[in-house]
């Protein structure tokens, strides 16, 4: 039988594995509470109090970097602004009404869903597209 030879092979592997470790029957005693806490919390050294002279502390370093004023945010045309409001505002209104258990007339629900779909479609149609880009170009430049 195949089974006996497999079991014999397994027994020979286990028996010839190496020295076996003798385990104590008693688990080690728990250390006192202070030693257990020291394993998790390492005490930090306390800094020595020093007096700082006012002359040593500079409020404004000479070579401080002051970033330039950022340019103003671009203004969206009204049609795209309305599409973005439809895309994000409609689901927000519907979600708030569902969570707060506010009754919406069916026509208003349909209008909100239509504004979401319409805003999405309008933004997709108005996406900039270029015909001079090779579709197989991976963008790597030498």
């Amino acid at each position: 039988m195949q089974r006996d030879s497999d079991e014999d092979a397994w027994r020979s592997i286990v028996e010839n594995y190496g020295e076996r470790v003798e385990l104590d029957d008693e688990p080690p005693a728990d250390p006192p509470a202070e030693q257990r806490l020291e394993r998790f919390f390492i005490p930090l050294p306390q800094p020595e109090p020093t007096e700082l002279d006012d002359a040593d502390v500079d409020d404004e370093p000479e070579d401080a970097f002051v970033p330039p004023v950022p340019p103003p945010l671009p203004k969206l045309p009204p049609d795209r602004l309305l599409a973005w409001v439809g895309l994000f505002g409609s689901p927000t209104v519907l979600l708030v009404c569902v969570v707060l258990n506010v009754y919406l007339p069916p026509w208003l629900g349909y209008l909100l869903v239509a504004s979401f779909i319409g805003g999405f479609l309008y933004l997709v149609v108005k996406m900039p597209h270029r015909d001079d880009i090779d579709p197989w170009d991976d963008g790597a430049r030498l």
Side-chain angles (χ1 to χ4, degrees):
M1 283 191 119
Q2 181 70 17
R3 182 178 168 109
D4 291 334
S5 64
D6 287 343
E7 288 180 12
D8 292 336
W10 179 251
R11 279 194 191 112
S12 67
I13 290 173
V14 171
E15 289 170 0
N16 297 322
Y17 183 69
E19 294 182 24
R20 294 191 179 174
V21 178
E22 297 295 326
L23 299 176
D24 295 334
D25 291 336
E26 293 181 23
D30 285 340
E34 294 83 20
Q35 289 179 355
R36 280 185 279 167
L37 288 178
E38 286 177 1
R39 280 190 275 170
F40 298 111
F41 301 106
I42 300 172
L44 297 176
Q46 299 297 326
E48 297 179 14
T50 60
E51 293 183 24
L52 295 176
D53 296 332
D54 290 335
D56 293 342
V57 178
D58 290 334
D59 292 336
E60 199 66 36
E62 292 177 16
D63 296 332
F65 173 73
V66 178
V69 177
L73 293 175
K75 301 271 184 195
L76 282 177
D79 57 341
R80 288 203 181 158
L81 180 63
L82 186 63
W84 282 110
V85 168
L87 186 67
F88 288 113
S90 298
T92 305
V93 170
L94 282 173
L95 182 66
V96 168
C97 289
V98 167
V99 168
L100 297 178
N101 201 16
V102 175
Y103 175 74
L104 286 178
W107 62 269
L108 184 59
Y110 292 133
L111 182 68
L112 288 170
V113 170
S115 66
F116 170 75
I117 294 171
F120 175 76
L121 291 177
Y122 183 80
L123 290 172
V124 168
V125 167
K126 290 293 184 173
M127 275 176 48
H129 63 302
R130 293 176 40 193
D131 294 332
D132 61 338
I133 297 177
D134 182 15
W136 301 106
D137 184 16
D138 63 356
R141 301 285 180 245
L142 297 177

